[in-house]
């Protein structure tokens, strides 16, 4: 079950680890719809919910999902350890680093890191 939590005055939809896999744009739209309904500005999805294709940039799944969230002005956090994927791909490692420099998509290890980022 997904829950809404307000972190430093920012409404965040925390997605359950047990939810349906996020395979592409259709699932991203479902998350965006739920976030809008709940009044969230950010969607936090456990890394384990993403299909492996998300972590292979050549599939364009990650880019399509991120772009969909950007179009709807919704932030996204991939929460958890993605090191097995970044160790296997320099391009993904660069993508994660660039995302974390921005203000729209973050790859964070845990909720404490999210709280720190949202604190400013």
């Amino acid at each position: 079950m997904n829950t809404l939590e307000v972190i430093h005055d920012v409404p965040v939809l925390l997605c359950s680890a047990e939810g349906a896999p996020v395979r592409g744009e259709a699932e991203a739209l479902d998350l965006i719809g739920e976030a809008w309904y709940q009044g969230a500005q950010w969607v936090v999805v456990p890394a384990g919910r993403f299909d492996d294709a998300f972590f292979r940039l050549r599939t364009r799944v990650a880019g399509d999902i991120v772009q969909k969230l950007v179009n709807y002005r919704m932030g996204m956090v991939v929460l958890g350890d993605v090191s097995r994927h970044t160790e296997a791909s320099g391009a993904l490692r660069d993508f994660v680093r660039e995302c974390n420099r921005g203000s729209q998509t973050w790859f964070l290890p845990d909720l404490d890191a999210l709280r720190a980022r949202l604190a400013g």
Side-chain angles (χ1 to χ4, degrees):
M1 173 179 236
N2 301 336
T3 59
L4 184 71
E5 183 175 325
V6 178
I7 302 172
H8 300 291
D9 296 324
V10 179
V12 176
L13 181 68
L14 299 173
C15 296
S16 167
E18 293 79 34
V22 179
R23 292 188 171 101
E25 288 183 67
E27 293 83 6
L29 283 171
D30 289 343
L31 292 173
I32 291 166
E34 182 175 354
W36 275 76
Y37 178 76
Q38 298 277 349
Q41 295 174 3
W42 283 84
V43 177
V44 179
V45 184
R49 292 263 312 263
F50 287 95
D51 187 81
D52 280 345
F54 177 85
F55 298 101
R56 291 190 308 271
L57 295 182
R58 70 180 174 276
T59 67
R60 299 179 53 196
V61 172
D64 290 345
I65 290 172
V66 168
Q67 186 61 53
K68 190 62 66 181
L69 286 145
V70 167
N71 290 347
Y72 285 90
R73 294 187 177 109
M74 182 80 50
M76 180 179 72
V77 175
V78 177
L79 193 71
D81 183 13
V82 296
S83 62
R84 79 175 172 96
H85 300 289
T86 58
E87 289 169 1
S89 170
L92 180 62
R93 191 169 39 254
D94 293 342
F95 178 72
V96 168
R97 183 175 36 253
E98 287 303 312
C99 284
N100 285 342
R101 288 181 182 163
S103 61
Q104 184 73 38
T105 304
W106 299 331
F107 289 77
L108 300 174
D110 53 40
L111 284 175
D112 288 338
L114 174 59
R115 288 182 181 97
R117 289 290 298 257
L118 292 177

